[in-house]
Amino acid sequence: MAALCALLALGSYAGFLKWRNSRLSASLAVAQQTIAVRDRQLEQSQEAGRVLDAHLGRMRDERAGLDVEFKHLRQQEGYNAPLSDFLRDAFDRM
């Protein structure tokens, strides 16, 4: 009789462990899926950051080139010099 009680207790405990294991496995699967989604979001954010940095770098380079060109034009025309006749006529018509 004691052996039968021990066997029932052992069977019940094994059933409980199996049930708990299946619940933990399901929770683990959900957690792994959540981590995978977060990893993809992180990768996408990093890629967006790299793209934005590239655009900012390109815009910075373009700005530097335009500043050099603007400085050159100011020096070439004489920044405070009076307008030429052609430019004065064009300005008057505007």
Side-chain angles (χ1 to χ4, degrees):
M1 184 73 156
L4 182 61
C5 286
L7 192 56
L8 279 173
L10 188 61
S12 297
Y13 186 65
F16 167 74
L17 290 178
K18 184 176 179 181
W19 171 78
R20 192 182 76 170
N21 188 28
S22 65
R23 286 194 55 198
L24 290 175
S25 293
S27 295
L28 177 63
V30 168
Q32 287 173 335
Q33 187 177 10
T34 302
I35 289 171
V37 168
R38 299 285 167 101
D39 285 345
R40 282 193 301 272
Q41 289 174 340
L42 179 62
E43 289 171 6
Q44 290 172 350
S45 297
Q46 289 172 339
E47 180 63 24
R50 285 190 290 272
V51 169
L52 287 174
D53 287 343
H55 282 299
L56 289 173
R58 181 187 52 78
M59 291 171 66
R60 199 175 303 118
D61 294 343
E62 185 178 341
R63 168 85 187 255
L66 290 174
D67 285 343
V68 168
E69 186 176 340
F70 187 61
K71 184 178 179 182
H72 174 72
L73 288 174
R74 278 185 169 177
Q75 290 172 350
Q76 187 178 10
E77 291 292 324
Y79 184 63
N80 294 323
L83 293 174
S84 66
D85 293 335
F86 174 75
L87 289 177
R88 191 176 313 111
D89 288 342
F91 182 75
D92 289 342
R93 281 186 256 133
M94 289 171 52

